[in-house]
Structures are given as structure tokens and as C-alpha cells.
């Protein structure tokens, strides 16, 4: 129209790219999968009657009172905390030593040991607990009263957890150790310090923040652990918080207030340790390598094979011994250990075909794992894209939520799902998901999302902002940016996220135990059910062996496919800039 | 104590990074190793620091052999200080602790060590900064700490690996002068590696130019700037105008440096005295080197044997002067620095200011062999 000016558009940072909808989707995912279920549980610690048939908002601390008034739960709080501190220290010492051997000195087989480290990290803790019990527990294959007594003691529980969790400390320290610039070390050498003194005076002090961070991660993991709490610690009559939450919801009458109050304490302790860990990492202020400066080459050592032997022994104890406990238990004929001689039988493997709570669990868990890994990865990508862009108040809130919920114990999340998805509100909407596979799948997603976001967003920061900006200037939309920029660069990371969610969900215990639909137990529930029932221990062991083999084959097949699909390392792509659109 | 590098070669796998380098650094002397990226500067430093083995030759500090093929004295036993490009300050140690670090192994009392720390803090003008951590210091202050640490145990030799690279341009200017002062005050021999020609020319008593793993030329700053061995060196050290020239007559050396004098006929009808590194026969053609500051703009009407006539092709303001490009018939455009603006397209004269120009025979750009160059002094 002549003389009429079009109204000026207010500049929008994300116009036309659908980024606003990404923020919205991310917010909904985090709210529904994590925040609201958590609130539904934790609120009952203070308002225990809010979800009763006749709800009221009467404030009460009865749940906390019952925890500190009941010897079992009172002990659980202090046992958990004491165990966490002792285990964190032990695991950090072991993990630090392993980090030193893998990253500082030049010894053969470091790649292999790194791989085994991840196996230890991924191994379900309830299977490790079971494995040790099968091996040296009172009725284990090599069980003696002394060994059994040691295993079923607080020290034994702590050592099993330390051997399972030390890789967290190793991973926390490996990066900083690897990243120490050669100039820092050689500045000390040229100042007259021997290799040992340069390590002691320069490298060790620089690693203290990383060691503290590693210890705090282990601390949070011990507090959150349900696998060992429900197996070894339970057999050792060593009550821990996670199992006491499960117990409060499993006994009759169900004590929701106590479970909620215990969850509040547990979440508070885990959150504090996570918060301190982040403070330690953020505040350390040690820039050990500036751009352009090379990292230090691995140092030669006089006795490389001695270190290889030491590492091998550690991994044998951490992984091979508990694994062999399970294998031996699955083929051992007698139920009384080796006292009457070792008689091999495969009857328990044959028994898997007929037993209840057996192979059906494996199939179901594989399906759940594929679903949870695929949907969880997609959800993680959505949230991490919102996170990566770092724009807007919603993303800031999301960030705060994701960092506080990153280490929610599975048992707490599962309990939260019971309250949240059981609300009449959902029934009124026709969403009757409670007691169905859907709620279990949602639980898996809620548990996986913080991890998926953490890893995916950690890798995304490596994407040069200009790579995406160049794509936007080329006039392409969000979908194409994801397809042409994000996916090629993030392909390997996302694949790793998928695989780790898959491997985690297939053996997931606490959420499964609380949410599995009637008649549809998962693999971990089936194994736990068989091993709790002493008459079927060997069936449980056989199921574990078969499942582990099947899952290992699947994971290996995926890894082979990934290797073949690798054409160009993601980092190189990121450095090369934006691929052609 | 003299550092002597004699015929040193070093390799990374099949790649030769240094080729039979020979160089000496006298007591109290600062020698700059100047060269572009990939010339072998870092490898040379690594050899001297004891981090890189050599395949031929020998490195001696005084009478002591530090490195030879199959033998290497470890870094901490060399008695060498080093200032790193990123300073490599330990983030967990204070300034005083950092400077004290090299003294820890010495048999001295605590008081003596602290006196030395105070002395060095004063030398690098950081009195009162002893309790600070690296992250509480500016870039220049960090560099001073790194220098103090390198000097703390009175090393026989200080290596400096591009120590100005992390500083901004303004700070670099002041630090160049400070660094030379500090090193001279401590009477320390120093090998200063840099790719910045200005830094090398200002800081060093002598400059050695490293190119493709070989020392192409070594001498005083003025020597290699005004009388480079070849075109690469000339152009690496700054802008150059090359004008085709022919030797018309042999002349007696007109300069104290006693280079060979030649009478030159330059393209464009200019006749000037020239200098050459060695005798050149009459009739030989080559290139006369003239840096922009060797020329000046004069009136178009000016005449004489040292004046070309041309037209201003471009003029760029450079802050301290105007960079004027003048088109001259028969030769490539020449660049001249001029204090005031000139009109593009105007006719001007370009006059040579120097009494004589440097001449490189075209048949052999490198008149002297590299090994001869490294043996100068």
C-alpha cells in the first residue's frame, strides 16, 4: 500500500528456527519426568495427608520423628553416611592410583584397562553384591565363616562398594592429570626438581580439587546405591537409607510419611555433596594448560610390567572375582558350597526355560531398554540443545533443575512416580498409566534424562557457536541444523549415551522393583526375586550369566557397527567448522 | 660460561628438525634465535633443556657436555633456567614460593633463600607481591615472576621461549627493555627464541636466523637487518624493495664493515655505490635491496643520479607515517615512508637516502654458506 510502512519487527534471536518450542519441550520433559514426581514424594515428608482419600494440608514432621524414633531407620541414616564417607576415601585412593597408572606413566595395555574400567563402572551393583555373596558369602562357593563374616560386615560392604565405584574417582582425576601442561612439569624439572619431586610438589597439589570432586561423586553414589544396599548390606544386617525407603513402602501398613522423610534426607545429603563437588570443580581456578601448550607425554617407568600386574590384580578383584562367583554359583550342583566337592551342572540353565521370573524378564528388559534409550536420547538432545544455547530464563531454570536432580537416587524417583502417576487427576484425563509398562518406561526416562543431558551438553559445548550461526545465516531451520550440524558432530556422543542408557536400564533395579507392572517383572526384578529365594539362587545366577552374555553381545555388535560407521572423528569435524548444508 | 652448540642435528621420526646447527653464546651475552614457525626453534630449545635427544653433534656448557648422541643430562642437573611462553607458573604456589622453588635443593639457610627471593622480587620490580598467587597477577607481572624463577638459582644459561607471546603489544614494548636490563644485571647468558623480529633486534646482542632447521645467518642486529645473506632473511626481517641492478665497477670498501664495494647501475637509470658480501665481477646482475626507510619522496622536478621519477599509486596512513607506493617505469612499484599525506596519481621523485645499497647476486641469493654463517664470531 502506497505510503504505508510495514511495522518494524522486534528483533528476535531465535525467530523462524523453532528454538522457542525446544525450550518449551525441554521444560515439559523435565517437569513431568523429574520435578513433579519428586515434589509429589517429598511434599509428603511435611504434609503427609496431602494425597490421602480425604486430603488435608496439615503440616507434620511425623515422618522424620518416626525415622529417628525407630532403631532400624535411625541406624540406616548414620550407617549410610558413615559408609559413604569411608567408601569415598577408599575409592578415591584406589581410583587415584589407577588414574596415575593409566594417565601418568607409560605402561602397556592402557587402552584395555581403560575399557575394563568402564565395565566396572557399568556393572550393576546388585550383581556385584550377589557375586561376592555367591563366591565367599556364608553359603558361597568358597564360603568360609571368616570370609563370610568379613564380607557381611560394614567393612566388607564398604570394600565391595569401593571396588565398584573407584572408577568415578579415576575418571574425575584422569582428565586433569592428562591435561597438565608439559611446561608446568618441565618448569619444575628445570628448576632443579627430580621427576618425583616435580610430581609431588607440582602435580599432586594440582590434583587435589579433582580428587575431592571424585570423592564427592563416590559419596553421592554410595548414598544413592540401592543394589548393594538391597543385597549384601541387607544380608549383613547393615541397614542403609535407600533400602529403608523401599522397606517403608513394602511393609504393611505402608509408611509413606517415613519413606518421604527418608527421601528428603537422602536427597538433601546427595544434593549437598553434588553442590560441594561443583563448587570444588568451579572454584579450583587452576588452569594447568593454556591454549597452544602441549600436554605432558606419559612418563617412562622402570618396572612397567609390575604396574600392569598390579592393575590386573585390581581389576580381577573388582570385576572378575564377583563375576566368577555368579558363574560358579550357576553351575554348582550342591547348595552347600565346596565342602562336598565341586559338581558341575547345567540344570539351572535348563531350568531357566521353565522357571517363573526368568527369561521373560530378560526379553521385557531388552524392550524397555531399547525404548528408554531411544526416547531418553531424544529427550536428552532436546534438553541439551536448550541448555547449549544458554538463552532465556526458562533455560536458566532448567539448568538449575537438571543440576540439582542429576543424582536423584533411583529408589526416590521410583517412589515419586508411585505418588505422581497414581493421582486421580490422571485417571480423570483417561491417563491410567500407573501399574502399566508406561509408568515404568517413564521412570527409566526420568532416571536417564539427567545423565543424557549431562553427557550430551558436555559434548555440545565443543560445537563452535559459529558453526550453527553460519547455518542460521544460510537461512536453514532447526530441523536441518540438527540433521546437518548437530547430528554429524554429536553422532558418536549420542551413540554412547544411547548405549549407556540401554546398558543401565536393562539391569535397573530400584525403579523396576517399585514400578514393574503386575505379572511383568523386569530382568533385575527377576534376578532379585530368584536370589532372595534361597531355593532358586542358582537359577538367578544362571539368569544373570545368560543375560550378561546376551547384553554383552548386543553392546559389542553395536560398538562394531559404530566403529564401521566412523568416518571422521567428531572433534575433528567440530574443529573443521560447519559442514556444508 | 659459554654455551657451545656444535653440529647438532635432531629428528622426529623421519623428519629432520635441526641440521648440523653450530652456535656459541658467550658469558653474559643474549643471543636471539629468530625464525618462522616450523623452523626448528622449539626443537633447539628442547635439545638445550634436555628434553630432546640429538642425532649428531654436541652441546656443551663450559667444559661440561650436556648432550651428545646417546647421552643426555637430565633437565634438573643442567643448571639452566627457562622462561616459558605461557610462563608455566604453578597455580597453587605464591610468587615467593615459586621463586623459592629452584632454591629448595640448594644447601643454603632459610634466611639466605628468602634474601635471594627478596632480591629477585626487587630485580623484577615485584616488591610486595610475594604472597600473591598467579591468578592475582597481570600478564606482565606473571612474566616477571617467570623470569625471577628462571634466575633464582643463578643458572649458567637462561632459555627464553617466546616470552612476550602472551603479552599485549604495549606491554611487550616495555618488557623488551626490562628483560634485557634484568638479564644483563644478572650477567646471565641467554638464548632468546622468538619469531618477532623487533623483539630479537631490541633484546639481543646477537641474532641468529633459523630457517628450515639451519642457521642461515648470525650477527649483530644491524648486520643481518642491513646486510642479509639472502632474500628470505631480508624479507623476514621487514619490508623490502628489490630493484634489478648490474655491477658496473668494482669499488673499494666504503664502510668500516669492509664489505666489498661495487658500483651499481640500477634499473630506472640510477647509479649508486653498493656493498656485496664478496667480490662480484663487473657485468654481474642481481638485486639491490632498499628498505622503505632507505628512500624518501622528493619533488617531481628533482634530478640527480639517485632519483627515480614516478607516480603515486597508493597511500596508506600507518600512524607514524604514510606508506606510499610509487609506480616507476621499468621496475616493480616501490614502497616509501613519508611523514605527510600525498595525492594518489601525483608525480613524485623517489630518492635514495643511504650512501650505498646492499647487493645480492641473482645467480646465488645465498652468498654465504649457512655453516659459515653459524661460525661468525
Amino acid at each position: 500500500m502506497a505510503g504505508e510502512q510495514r511495522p518494524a519487527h522486534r528483533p528476535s534471536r531465535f525467530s523462524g528456527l523453532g528454538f522457542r518450542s525446544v525450550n518449551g519441550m525441554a521444560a515439559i520433559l523435565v517437569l513431568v519426568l523429574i520435578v513433579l514426581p519428586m515434589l509429589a514424594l517429598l511434599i509428603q515428608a511435611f504434609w503427609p495427608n496431602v494425597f490421602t482419600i480425604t486430603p488435608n494440608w496439615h503440616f507434620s514432621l511425623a515422618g522424620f520423628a518416626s525415622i529417628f524414633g525407630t532403631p532400624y531407620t535411625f541406624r540406616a541414616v548414620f550407617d549410610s553416611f558413615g559408609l559413604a564417607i569411608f567408601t569415598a576415601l577408599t575409592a578415591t585412593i584406589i581410583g587415584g592410583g589407577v588414574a596415575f597408572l593409566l594417565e601418568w606413566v607409560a605402561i602397556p595395555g592402557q587402552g584395555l584397562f581403560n575399557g575394563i574400567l568402564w565395565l566396572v563402572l557399568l556393572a550393576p551393583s546388585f550383581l556385584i553384591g550377589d557375586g561376592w555373596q555367591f563366591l565367599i558369602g556364608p553359603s558361597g562357593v568358597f564360603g568360609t565363616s571368616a570370609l563370610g563374616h568379613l564380607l557381611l560386615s560394614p567393612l566388607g560392604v564398604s570394600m565391595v562398594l569401593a571396588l565398584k565405584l573407584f572408577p568415578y574417582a579415576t575418571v574425575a582425576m584422569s582428565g586433569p592429570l592428562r591435561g597438565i601442561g608439559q611446561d608446568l612439569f618441565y618448569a619444575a624439572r628445570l628448576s632443579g626438581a627430580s621427576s618425583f619431586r616435580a610430581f609431588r610438589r607440582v602435580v599432586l597439589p594440582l590434583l587435589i580439587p579433582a580428587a575431592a570432586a571424585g570423592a564427592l561423586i563416590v559419596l553421592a553414589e554410595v548414598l544413592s546405591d540401592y543394589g548393594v544396599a538391597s543385597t549384601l548390606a541387607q544380608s549383613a544386617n547393615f541397614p542403609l537409607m535407600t533400602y529403608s525407603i523401599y522397606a517403608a513402602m513394602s511393609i504393611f501398613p505402608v509408611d509413606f510419611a517415613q519413606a518421604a522423610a527418608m527421601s528428603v534426607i537422602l536427597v538433601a545429603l546427595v544434593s549437598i555433596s553434588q553442590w560441594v563437588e561443583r563448587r570444588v570443580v568451579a572454584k579450583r581456578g587452576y588452569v594447568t594448560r593454556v591454549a597452544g601448550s602441549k600436554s605432558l607425554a606419559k612418563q617412562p617407568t622402570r618396572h612397567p610390567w609390575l604396574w600392569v600386574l598390579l592393575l590386573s590384580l585390581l581389576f580381577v578383584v573388582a570385576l572378575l572375582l564377583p563375576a566368577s562367583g555368579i558363574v560358579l554359583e550357576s553351575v554348582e550342583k550342591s547348595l552347600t558350597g565346596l565342602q562336598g566337592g565341586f559338581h558341575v551342572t547345567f540344570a539351572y540353565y535348563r531350568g531357566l526355560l521353565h522357571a517363573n521370573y526368568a527369561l521373560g524378564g530378560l526379553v521385557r528388559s531388552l524392550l524397555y531398554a531399547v525404548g528408554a534409550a531411544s526416547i531418553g536420547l531424544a529427550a536428552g538432545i532436546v534438553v541439551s540443545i536448550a541448555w547449549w544455547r544458554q538463552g532465556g530464563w526458562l533455560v536458566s531454570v532448567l539448568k538449575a533443575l537438571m543440576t540439582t536432580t542429576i543424582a536423584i537416587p533411583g529408589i526416590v524417583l521410583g517412589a515419586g512416580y508411585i505418588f505422581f502417576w497414581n493421582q486421580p487427576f490422571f485417571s480423570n484425563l483417561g491417563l491410567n498409566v500407573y501399574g502399566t509398562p508406561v509408568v515404568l518406561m517413564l521412570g527409566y526416562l526420568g532416571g536417564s534424562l539427567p545423565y543424557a543431558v549431562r553427557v550430551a551438553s558436555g559434548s555440545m559445548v565443543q560445537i563452535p557457536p559459529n558453526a550453527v550461526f553460519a547455518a542460521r545465516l544460510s537461512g536453514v531451520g532447526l530441523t536441518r541444523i540438527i540433521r546437518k550440524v548437530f547430528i554429524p558432530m554429536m553422532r558418536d556422543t549420542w551413540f554412547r549415551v544411547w548405549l549407556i542408557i540401554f546398558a543401565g536400564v536393562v539391569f535397573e533395579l530400584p525403579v523396576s522393583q517399585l514400578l514393574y507392572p503386575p505379572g511383568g517383572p523386569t530382568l533385575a526384578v527377576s534376578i532379585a526375586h530368584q536370589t532372595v529365594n534361597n531355593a532358586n539362587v542358582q537359577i538367578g545366577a544362571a539368569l544373570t550369566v545368560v543375560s550378561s552374555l546376551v547384553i554383552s553381545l548386543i553392546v559389542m555388535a553395536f560398538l562394531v557397527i559404530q566403529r564401521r560407521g566412523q568416518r571422521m572423528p567428531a572433534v575433528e569435524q567440530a574443529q573443521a567448522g560447519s559442514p556444508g548444508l | 660460561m659459554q654455551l657451545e652448540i656444535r653440529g647438532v642435528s635432531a629428528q622426529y621420526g623421519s623428519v629432520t628438525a635441526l641440521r648440523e646447527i653450530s652456535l656459541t653464546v658467550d658469558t653474559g651475552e643474549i643471543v636471539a634465535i629468530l625464525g618462522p614457525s616450523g623452523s626448528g626453534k622449539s626443537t633447539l630449545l628442547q635439545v638445550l633443556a634436555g628434553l630432546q635427544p640429538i642425532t649428531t653433534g654436541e652441546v656443551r656448557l663450559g667444559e661440561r657436555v650436556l648432550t651428545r648422541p646417546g647421552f643426555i643430562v637430565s633437565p634438573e642437573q643442567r643448571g639452566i633456567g627457562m622462561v616459558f611462553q605461557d610462563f608455566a607458573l604453578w597455580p597453587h604456589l605464591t610468587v615467593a614460593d615459586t621463586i623459592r622453588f629452584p632454591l629448595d635443593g640448594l644447601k643454603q639457610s632459610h634466611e639466605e633463600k628468602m634474601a635471594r627471593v627478596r632480591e629477585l622480587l626487587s630485580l623484577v620490580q615485584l616488591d610486595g607481591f610475594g604472597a600473591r598467587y598467579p591468578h592475582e597477577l597481570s600478564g606482565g607481572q606473571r612474566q616477571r615472576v617467570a623470569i625471577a624463577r628462571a634466575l633464582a638459582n643463578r643458572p649458567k644459561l637462561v632459555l627464553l621461549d617466546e616470552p612476550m607471546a602472551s603479552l599485549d603489544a604495549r606491554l611487550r614494548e616495555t618488557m623488551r627493555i626490562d628483560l634485557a636490563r634484568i638479564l644483563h644485571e644478572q650477567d646471565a647468558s641467554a638464548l632468546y627464541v622468538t619469531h618477532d623480529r623487533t623483539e630479537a633486534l631490541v633484546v639481543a646482542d646477537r641474532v641468529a636466523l633459523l630457517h628450515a632447521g639451519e642457521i642461515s645467518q648470525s650477527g649483530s642486529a644491524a648486520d643481518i637487518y642491513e646486510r642479509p645473506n639472502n632474500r628470505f632473511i631480508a624479507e623476514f626481517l621487514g619490508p623490502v624493495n628489490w630493484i634489478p641492478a648490474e655491477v658496473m665497477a668494482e669499488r673499494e670498501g666504503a664502510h668500516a664493515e669492509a664489505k666489498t664495494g661495487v658500483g651499481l647501475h640500477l634499473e630506472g637509470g640510477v647509479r649508486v655505490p653498493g656493498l656485496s658480501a664478496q667480490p662480484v665481477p663487473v657485468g654481474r646482475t642481481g638485486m639491490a635491496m632498499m628498505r622503505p626507510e632507505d628512500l624518501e619522496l622528493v619533488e617531481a622536478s628533482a634530478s640527480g643520479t639517485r632519483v627515480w621519477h614516478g607516480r603515486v599509486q597508493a597511500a596508506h596512513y600507518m600512524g607514524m607515517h604514510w606508506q606510499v607506493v610509487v609506480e616507476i617505469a621499468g621496475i616493480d612499484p616501490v614502497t616509501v615512508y613519508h611523514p605527510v599525506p600525498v595525492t594518489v596519481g601525483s608525480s613524485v621523485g623517489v630518492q635514495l637516502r643511504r650512501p650505498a645499497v646492499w647487493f645480492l647476486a641473482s645467480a646465488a641469493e645465498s652468498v654465504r654458506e649457512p655453516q659459515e654463517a653459524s661460525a661468525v664470531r
Side-chain angles (χ1 to χ4, degrees):
Chain A
M1 200 179 293
E4 189 177 327
Q5 284 191 328
R6 295 179 65 184
H9 285 289
R10 195 161 61 105
S12 166
R13 287 196 296 169
F14 317 120
S15 58
L17 287 169
F19 275 112
R20 274 204 185 104
S21 57
V22 172
N23 283 4
M25 277 163 63
I28 290 168
L29 283 169
V30 175
L31 272 178
V32 170
L33 291 177
I34 300 171
V35 177
L36 293 178
M38 289 295 299
L39 283 178
L41 172 68
L42 300 181
I43 199 171
Q44 292 183 79
F46 307 98
W47 292 276
N49 300 319
V50 75
F51 293 134
T52 51
I53 297 166
T54 50
N56 69 65
W57 285 89
H58 173 68
F59 180 80
S60 167
L61 295 176
F64 293 98
S66 84
I67 288 171
F68 293 104
T70 312
Y72 179 85
T73 46
F74 182 76
R75 265 190 66 195
V77 173
F78 287 94
D79 283 355
S80 285
F81 200 57
L83 178 75
I85 290 174
F86 185 75
T87 308
L89 289 175
T90 318
T92 305
I93 292 167
I94 299 171
V98 173
F100 173 82
L101 292 179
L102 292 182
E103 300 296 343
W104 187 260
V105 292
I107 57 170
Q110 279 166 323
L112 178 68
F113 287 124
N114 260 315
I116 301 173
L117 189 81
W118 283 96
L119 275 184
V120 177
L121 199 68
L122 292 175
S125 65
F126 79 97
L127 290 184
I128 300 274
D130 278 347
W132 280 108
Q133 284 212 73
F134 293 154
L135 196 70
I136 58 168
S139 57
V141 180
F142 295 104
T144 64
S145 64
L147 279 176
H149 189 70
L150 178 67
L151 180 67
L152 299 181
S153 70
L155 181 65
V157 173
S158 176
M159 287 314 297
V160 167
L161 276 169
L163 287 169
K164 158 78 185 94
L165 298 173
F166 77 85
Y168 284 104
T170 303
V171 171
M173 281 187 263
S174 291
L177 196 55
R178 197 169 41 236
I180 285 176
Q182 66 171 11
D183 289 356
L184 282 185
F185 186 69
Y186 287 129
R189 296 286 309 274
L190 283 164
S191 298
S194 64
S195 277
F196 175 72
R197 189 167 152 249
F199 184 82
R200 187 173 57 82
R201 291 285 309 276
V202 174
V203 179
L204 268 188
L206 293 176
L207 284 183
I208 287 172
L216 286 160
I217 293 170
V218 175
L219 187 93
E221 287 293 324
V222 175
L223 288 168
S224 308
D225 178 79
Y226 177 75
V228 167
S230 65
T231 52
L232 205 59
Q234 192 53 19
S235 305
N237 193 23
F238 186 55
L240 296 172
M241 291 171 78
T242 47
Y243 189 77
S244 71
I245 292 171
Y246 174 74
M249 300 188 68
S250 309
I251 53 163
F252 185 82
V254 175
D255 192 343
F256 288 139
Q258 192 190 70
M262 189 67 95
S263 298
V264 167
I265 297 171
L266 184 55
V267 169
L269 287 175
V270 171
S271 301
I272 289 168
S273 61
Q274 290 277 305
W275 179 76
V276 175
E277 184 244 322
R278 280 195 297 276
R279 297 273 297 178
V280 166
V281 171
K283 283 245 167 180
R284 63 182 174 180
Y286 288 168
V287 178
T288 55
R289 182 150 60 106
V290 296
S293 159
K294 288 179 189 163
S295 61
L296 194 66
K298 287 183 179 170
Q299 301 294 297
T301 175
R302 281 184 194 166
H303 309 291
W305 291 106
L306 185 71
W307 298 119
V308 169
L309 183 69
L310 198 70
L311 267 182
S312 306
L313 275 177
L314 176 69
F315 285 119
V316 163
V317 174
L319 196 64
L320 207 60
L321 284 185
S324 63
I326 295 172
V327 173
L328 288 175
E329 186 74 14
S330 71
V331 294
E332 217 280 294
K333 196 171 185 179
S334 108
L335 293 178
T336 54
L338 289 182
Q339 286 87 345
F342 189 79
H343 304 288
V344 175
T345 176
F346 291 99
Y348 306 114
Y349 287 91
R350 287 193 295 275
L352 284 178
L353 298 172
H354 311 293
N356 291 325
Y357 281 79
L359 292 177
L362 171 61
V363 175
R364 272 186 289 277
S365 279
L366 285 175
L367 294 174
Y368 280 126
V370 169
S374 306
I375 304 169
L377 173 62
I381 290 170
V382 168
V383 179
S384 53
I385 287 176
W387 184 320
W388 172 78
R389 287 176 41 252
Q390 303 185 337
W393 64 270
L394 192 57
V395 176
S396 304
V397 173
L398 276 181
K399 269 189 173 182
L401 286 174
M402 292 305 290
T403 44
T404 49
T405 56
I406 203 132
I408 290 176
I411 193 76
V412 175
L413 194 71
Y417 270 57
I418 291 178
F419 291 109
F420 182 65
W421 292 102
N422 213 4
Q423 290 306 308
F425 168 77
F426 289 109
S427 298
N428 296 339
L429 287 175
L431 288 171
N432 293 309
V433 295
Y434 185 70
T436 70
V438 175
V439 79
L440 182 55
M441 178 69 91
L442 290 172
Y444 289 146
L445 291 175
S448 312
L449 189 62
Y451 166 78
V453 172
R454 189 173 193 161
V455 176
S457 59
S459 298
M460 267 192 197
V461 294
Q462 294 176 10
I463 296 181
N466 282 345
V468 175
F469 190 55
R472 292 180 62 188
L473 285 177
S474 308
V476 294
L478 176 64
T479 327
R480 202 146 178 227
I481 289 178
I482 290 177
R483 195 160 58 83
K484 290 284 188 180
V485 180
F486 283 110
I487 289 178
M489 289 187 185
M490 293 288 99
R491 186 187 59 217
D492 291 345
T493 303
W494 288 351
F495 184 82
R496 210 164 51 240
V497 170
W498 190 96
L499 212 55
I500 290 176
I501 295 178
F502 172 84
V505 166
V506 84
F507 276 116
E508 204 283 338
L509 180 62
V511 170
S512 311
Q513 208 152 40
L514 287 175
L515 298 179
Y516 77 90
T522 64
L523 174 62
V525 172
S526 299
I527 292 171
H529 180 86
Q530 304 286 6
T531 49
V532 164
N533 181 350
N534 265 340
N536 293 330
V537 166
Q538 283 92 342
I539 294 276
L543 179 58
T544 306
V545 172
V546 170
S547 310
S548 302
L549 285 175
V550 169
I551 290 155
S552 301
L553 283 174
I554 292 173
V555 170
M556 278 193 285
F558 270 83
L559 288 174
V560 169
I561 292 168
Q562 187 212 14
R563 286 269 164 88
R564 288 196 175 168
Q566 269 178 344
R567 285 165 303 182
M568 188 177 169
V571 171
E572 280 182 32
Q573 286 195 339
Q575 286 168 349
S578 168
L581 292 169
Chain B
M1 194 173 282
Q2 191 185 54
L3 170 74
E4 194 175 354
I5 302 166
R6 202 185 293 163
V8 164
S9 301
Q11 283 188 302
Y12 294 106
S14 60
V15 178
T16 303
L18 296 176
R19 294 169 198 276
E20 302 200 3
I21 297 260
S22 292
L23 183 76
T24 55
V25 181
D26 286 337
T27 306
E29 187 187 26
I30 305 174
V31 172
I33 301 288
L34 179 64
S37 298
S39 58
K41 303 188 300 286
S42 299
T43 307
L44 178 60
L45 271 189
Q46 291 200 327
V47 166
L48 297 177
L51 307 175
Q52 169 73 36
I54 58 176
T55 49
T56 67
E58 187 176 83
V59 178
R60 279 176 180 269
L61 191 57
E63 293 304 308
R64 189 177 176 212
V65 174
L66 295 183
T67 302
R68 63 163 65 120
F71 173 80
I72 194 161
V73 173
S74 65
E76 64 269 26
Q77 292 169 342
R78 297 197 154 217
I80 286 177
M82 184 158 175
V83 180
F84 292 83
Q85 185 174 351
D86 59 2
F87 310 141
L89 298 184
W90 304 303
H92 61 294
L93 294 187
T94 62
V95 169
D97 288 340
T98 301
I99 299 173
R100 216 194 106 115
F101 190 98
L103 304 173
D104 283 351
L106 304 181
K107 287 177 183 164
Q108 287 180 350
S109 68
H110 176 72
E111 287 69 31
E112 284 174 313
K113 289 175 183 172
M114 289 319 292
R116 176 67 176 155
V117 170
R118 283 191 296 275
E119 182 194 341
L120 284 162
L121 282 173
S122 174
L123 178 75
V124 297
Q125 296 170 345
L126 283 176
D127 306 83
F129 283 76
R132 294 209 188 173
Y133 285 92
H135 68 270
E136 296 170 321
L137 303 174
S138 68
Q141 289 165 341
R142 285 181 205 179
Q143 195 208 37
R144 288 160 194 267
V145 177
I147 294 166
R149 176 181 64 187
L151 293 170
N153 56 2
R154 302 180 199 281
K156 301 167 187 85
L157 174 72
V158 179
L159 306 175
L160 299 107
D161 182 9
E162 308 237 13
M164 309 285 179
S166 310
L167 304 181
D168 61 54
R170 196 173 155 194
L171 194 55
R172 227 178 283 173
E173 277 182 28
T174 50
M175 283 309 295
R176 279 177 200 141
I177 295 157
D178 278 0
L179 183 60
R181 171 188 64 81
I182 292 166
L183 290 171
H184 280 133
E185 272 184 38
Q186 292 291 299
D187 202 23
S189 305
L191 199 76
Y192 187 109
V193 163
T194 181
H195 68 274
D196 185 321
R197 62 193 170 92
T198 317
E199 240 172 76
L201 300 181
V202 171
V203 175
D205 302 318
R206 191 155 55 93
V207 178
L209 209 131
L210 195 63
H211 178 47
E214 296 179 69
I215 290 183
S216 306
Q217 188 173 359
S218 133
S220 71
D223 191 29
I224 66 164
Y225 186 73
E226 293 172 11
R227 293 173 288 281
N229 272 356
N230 55 44
R231 285 184 72 154
F232 170 79
I233 298 172
E235 287 167 5
F236 186 72
L237 291 172
V240 190
N241 296 301
W242 296 107
I243 296 175
E246 185 182 351
V247 176
M248 302 304 292
E250 290 182 24
R251 289 178 69 247
E252 285 303 309
H255 282 254
E257 291 86 352
K259 304 292 179 191
T260 304
V262 286
L264 293 174
H265 178 201
L266 274 52
E267 285 287 333
V270 170
R271 288 168 183 273
V272 287
L275 288 170
S276 175
Q278 61 187 29
V280 188
V282 172
R284 182 71 169 271
T285 57
M287 299 299 255
M289 184 190 94
M290 274 161 275
R291 297 202 181 270
E293 63 269 24
D294 297 337
L295 302 169
E296 63 183 340
L297 287 187
V298 292
E299 293 294 327
S301 56
S303 60
T305 59
R306 305 164 72 86
V307 179
W308 290 271
H309 291 94
R311 202 171 56 84
V312 175
Q313 191 183 64
H316 306 287
Y317 183 57
M318 306 292 286
M320 294 172 71
H321 52 247
W322 286 76
Q323 180 179 290
V324 182
V325 181
V326 181
E327 207 173 31
I328 296 170
I331 59 175
D332 288 342
V334 296
T335 301
V336 185
Y337 295 152
H338 194 61
V340 292
V342 288
T343 310
V344 173
S346 59
S347 296
V348 291
V350 176
Q351 180 171 280
L352 181 67
R353 298 166 68 181
R354 297 181 69 86
V357 297
W358 185 245
F359 175 76
L360 290 177
S362 60
E365 285 183 346
S366 176
V367 181
R368 278 179 285 178
E369 291 301 316
Q371 284 316 299
E372 287 178 52
S374 62
V376 167
R377 279 185 71 93

